[in-house]
Amino acid sequence: MYAEERQQAIADQVRANGRASVTALATLFDVTSETVRRDLAVLERSGHLQRVHGGAVRPGTTPVLGEQGIDERQMTRTDQKLAIGRTATRFLPPDGGSVFFDAGTTTCQAALAMPRDRRLTLITHSIPIAAVLADNRSADLHVLGGRVRGLTQATVGAETVAALERLRVSTAFVGSNGISHSHGLSTPDPDEAAIKSAIVRVANRVVVLADSSKIDREDLSSFADLDDVDVLITDDDIDPVASAALSARGIDVVIA
């Protein structure tokens, strides 16, 4: 099937059913998820559908798939997240440095992979990540306060941002729901976006941990430009063209 025929069939699916998921479309047409996302991008530009988290809906539809909670996200792309987390340890600063762990299931894998013999200052606003790091006796752990957002189990709000603004960290491991050239790094919730923006501002090196499903995706709130990113650690499903384009922007794209 030619790309144009597949795209027409995808548009017909969304028109008939009101929505379609990337996973279901990839299975239906026997192509990769990345191919489906490219098709959805083409169809969105031509007005045939509206992309949302995990798929697409009819144009003009209020997104109903919504932001996934932490329990749901822990069950998706687990092998890729595990590999990304392990690879992230290559970018830890020397002993005496500091590391900020953004909230998220992929950044949590980086916390789980932390070596236990490194003398580092570890900082997070994520309750699950704090629990993972709490028994690391070589490190000095700090947890930022604030209002806990139940969906992500992370602190957000003015108190958390103010605490962040007083820091300067060696390395920040940052998660992102979407990564695109026009919208930068993005996330569905404005409160989460405010925290992530502050993390990026206070880090000497920004290491984004994101599986390839996040590439060429855009969510509501942009929190950083691509120029703010030093390293992107992702998986080998990333489209080579997308990888080259990100590299051209000065990002060190690392395949886990």
Side-chain angles (χ1 to χ4, degrees), residues 29-89:
F29 296 106
D30 192 26
V31 294
T32 66
S33 297
E34 286 64 37
T35 296
V36 171
R37 290 190 183 89
R38 287 197 296 272
D39 288 340
L40 296 181
V42 170
L43 291 167
E44 185 176 49
R45 287 195 294 270
S46 59
H48 289 289
L49 51 77
Q50 176 182 344
R51 284 191 294 173
V52 295
H53 180 77
V57 297
R58 292 191 190 106
T61 303
T62 301
V64 294
L65 297 180
E67 183 182 2
Q68 289 181 313
I70 193 168
D71 291 337
E72 293 174 278
R73 287 186 286 124
Q74 282 176 335
M75 303 301 293
T76 61
R77 299 181 71 84
T78 52
D79 290 344
Q80 291 91 338
K81 291 175 181 179
L82 180 63
I84 291 168
R86 288 173 174 167
T87 303
T89 61

Side-chain angles (χ1 to χ4, degrees), residues 123-147:
I123 312 157
T124 189
H125 67 125
S126 164
I127 293 172
I129 290 177
V132 166
L133 297 173
D135 67 346
N136 189 331
R137 298 187 179 182
S138 297
D140 183 18
L141 175 64
H142 297 260
V143 184
L144 301 187
R147 176 178 65 84

Side-chain angles (χ1 to χ4, degrees), residues 171-192:
T171 300
F173 292 136
V174 181
S176 185
N177 295 71
I179 302 172
S180 77
H181 289 273
S182 60
H183 200 48
L185 308 183
S186 58
T187 193
D189 184 75
D191 287 339
E192 296 272 1

Side-chain angles (χ1 to χ4, degrees), residues 12-256:
D12 292 342
Q13 284 278 324
V14 174
R15 188 180 306 110
N17 300 318
R19 73 191 66 173
S21 73
V22 169
T23 302
L25 292 170
T27 301
L28 179 63
F29 296 106
D30 192 26
V31 294
T32 66
S33 297
E34 286 64 37
T35 296
V36 171
R37 290 190 183 89
R38 287 197 296 272
D39 288 340
L40 296 181
V42 170
L43 291 167
E44 185 176 49
R45 287 195 294 270
S46 59
H48 289 289
L49 51 77
Q50 176 182 344
R51 284 191 294 173
V52 295
H53 180 77
V57 297
R58 292 191 190 106
T61 303
T62 301
V64 294
L65 297 180
E67 183 182 2
Q68 289 181 313
I70 193 168
D71 291 337
E72 293 174 278
R73 287 186 286 124
Q74 282 176 335
M75 303 301 293
T76 61
R77 299 181 71 84
T78 52
D79 290 344
Q80 291 91 338
K81 291 175 181 179
L82 180 63
I84 291 168
R86 288 173 174 167
T87 303
T89 61
R90 289 164 41 189
F91 296 89
L92 291 171
D95 281 3
S98 54
V99 184
F100 195 100
F101 289 85
D102 182 20
T105 53
T106 309
T107 49
C108 190
Q109 289 298 329
L112 286 164
M114 274 288 299
R116 302 292 167 167
D117 59 348
R118 301 290 295 275
R119 298 190 177 279
L120 298 168
T121 298
L122 308 179
I123 312 157
T124 189
H125 67 125
S126 164
I127 293 172
I129 290 177
V132 166
L133 297 173
D135 67 346
N136 189 331
R137 298 187 179 182
S138 297
D140 183 18
L141 175 64
H142 297 260
V143 184
L144 301 187
R147 176 178 65 84
V148 177
R149 185 170 182 250
L151 195 64
T152 56
Q153 298 178 30
T155 57
V156 296
E159 179 183 347
T160 315
V161 171
L164 266 163
E165 297 284 12
R166 292 192 291 270
L167 302 177
R168 174 63 65 187
V169 297
S170 307
T171 300
F173 292 136
V174 181
S176 185
N177 295 71
I179 302 172
S180 77
H181 289 273
S182 60
H183 200 48
L185 308 183
S186 58
T187 193
D189 184 75
D191 287 339
E192 296 272 1
I195 299 300
K196 290 174 180 289
S197 288
I199 295 168
V200 169
R201 286 196 299 272
V202 305
N204 290 332
R205 179 163 64 171
V206 175
V207 181
V208 175
L209 311 184
D211 68 74
S212 58
S213 70
K214 311 299 174 60
I215 309 301
D216 291 331
R217 239 186 63 190
E218 296 178 352
D219 266 300
L220 176 65
S221 299
S222 174
F223 64 87
D225 295 328
L226 291 185
D227 294 340
D228 296 320
V229 179
D230 297 299
V231 181
L232 167 65
I233 305 177
T234 188
D235 58 78
D236 58 7
D237 284 337
I238 187 172
D239 185 307
V241 175
S243 178
L246 290 167
S247 297
R249 294 288 297 266
I251 298 172
D252 181 10
V253 179
V254 177
I255 305 302

